[in-house]
Structures are given as C-alpha cells and as structure tokens.
Amino acid sequence: MSRALIVIDVQESFRQRAAAWRTTNNPDIADDVNTLVRAARADGDLVVWVLHSEPGTGGVFDPASGHVRLMPELDYRDGEPLLVKTSINAFTTTNLAQLLTQRGVRELRVCGIRAEQCVETTTRVGYDLGYEMTYVVDAVASFATAPPDAPDDLADPRTKQAAEIVEHTAFILAARGFATVTTVAELAGTLTGS
C-alpha cells in the first residue's frame, strides 16, 4: 500500500453553522467523498478520516457540542484511522505522518471541507514532507467569505463566493506545483480501472 485517501473535516460541525452552510459550493460533498472512498478501497488504498476539534471553545467544533463527528451519510468503516486535529492542517497535531510512514504510503489524495484552509494547508504540508499530492477539486467544499468589515448578510461586492475560492485554491496548488488537481470521476475511474 503506497497510496492513501485523506478525508479532511467532512463533519457535522459545519452544517451546524447554517448561515455559512447555505453558501457552500458543494452541499453534497458526502456523495463525492463516498465515491472516492469506494474507489480507494477497491484499489487497496488506505482511507484516513480527519476531524477538526477546538476543545474548550463552546462552539460547534468543541467536542462537548456533540457535533465533532463525521457526517452520518459517510461510508466510514470500523478499523479505518480516524484522527482528530486541533490545527489547520492534518499533520501538525496528529500522528498522520507516522501512520503513513508505518504503512509505506508515499502518495496522498486529499478532499474535504474548507478547500482553501484545511485541505489546502494539508496539501502543502504533505508536499513539504515529500508526499506526491493529488487535490480532488470537486470533492472539496468551501463557503462564501466576506471582508472583515462587511455586513453579516454577505451582500458586500468584495465577498468571495465559495466556487471562486475553490477554483482559486486549485489553480494555486497546481500552478505552484504543490499538487496534481483532478476530479472525482477522473480519480475514481483511474483507481477502479474504468
């Protein structure tokens, strides 16, 4: 096994932020992730699940809230690694690198929520650690982002829409050589030989 699929932060916490969730570019991300997971398993690849946690904050990412859990429609299987991070990337506050080294993994496919934040930084850190990185552009999600001084309704013309953020993130990762950018259909077809 030299390849792994890393599923980052596809968790219930995000849906609890109803106003932000309404601005997502990919409300059906769980379906895309499940397609990748099935293809990865069929090819014998490791599937690693990562959750984001902010203990003691009292928010939706505080484990005490009960929302720091995978979205229930995800096809998680007992025995697959489920890591909990407290930093933006999936490496810094987990044993992800150790787990991958123990299993001989050198190639990572990444997907998940907050394309420009948690998925992107995990991709860059993975690249820095010497992994061959693939960013699955249509199995990520983000949210519209308004400038700090914009009104809460996101009507400010400077607001970046989620799809624009995802597109820009993929462009930068590919243009700077941090990752190959692909789609669910391309990757699932490659893994399963279809």
Side-chain angles (χ1 to χ4, degrees), residues 1-4 97 100-101 103-108 126-127 129-133:
M1 175 183 314
S2 65
R3 196 167 45 203
L100 298 173
T101 299
R103 306 229 182 159
V105 173
R106 297 305 315 148
E107 187 179 341
L108 304 180
Y127 173 84
L129 293 172
Y131 293 98
E132 182 181 325
M133 302 302 297

Side-chain angles (χ1 to χ4, degrees), residues 138-155:
D138 54 348
V140 297
S142 196
F143 311 98
T145 303
D149 61 344
D152 289 336
D153 65 1
L154 299 178

Side-chain angles (χ1 to χ4, degrees), residues 50-110:
V50 181
L51 296 172
H52 182 78
S53 176
E54 298 172 0
T57 61
V60 296
F61 291 95
D62 187 331
S65 72
H67 303 301
V68 180
R69 63 183 191 281
L70 294 171
M71 290 180 177
E73 61 270 34
L74 290 171
D75 185 18
Y76 170 76
R77 288 190 183 163
D78 287 341
E80 291 176 333
L82 177 60
L83 309 178
V84 179
K85 65 182 179 63
T86 57
S87 65
I88 301 301
N89 76 79
F91 286 97
T92 303
T93 58
T94 71
N95 68 337
L96 178 59
Q98 178 185 16
L99 173 72
L100 298 173
T101 299
Q102 289 172 341
R103 306 229 182 159
V105 173
R106 297 305 315 148
E107 187 179 341
L108 304 180
R109 278 75 191 271
V110 294

Side-chain angles (χ1 to χ4, degrees), residues 149-171:
D149 61 344
D152 289 336
D153 65 1
L154 299 178
D156 190 294
R158 300 171 295 165
T159 295
K160 301 292 183 204
Q161 298 305 313
E164 180 182 6
I165 292 168
V166 168
E167 181 180 323
H168 179 76
T169 302
F171 174 81

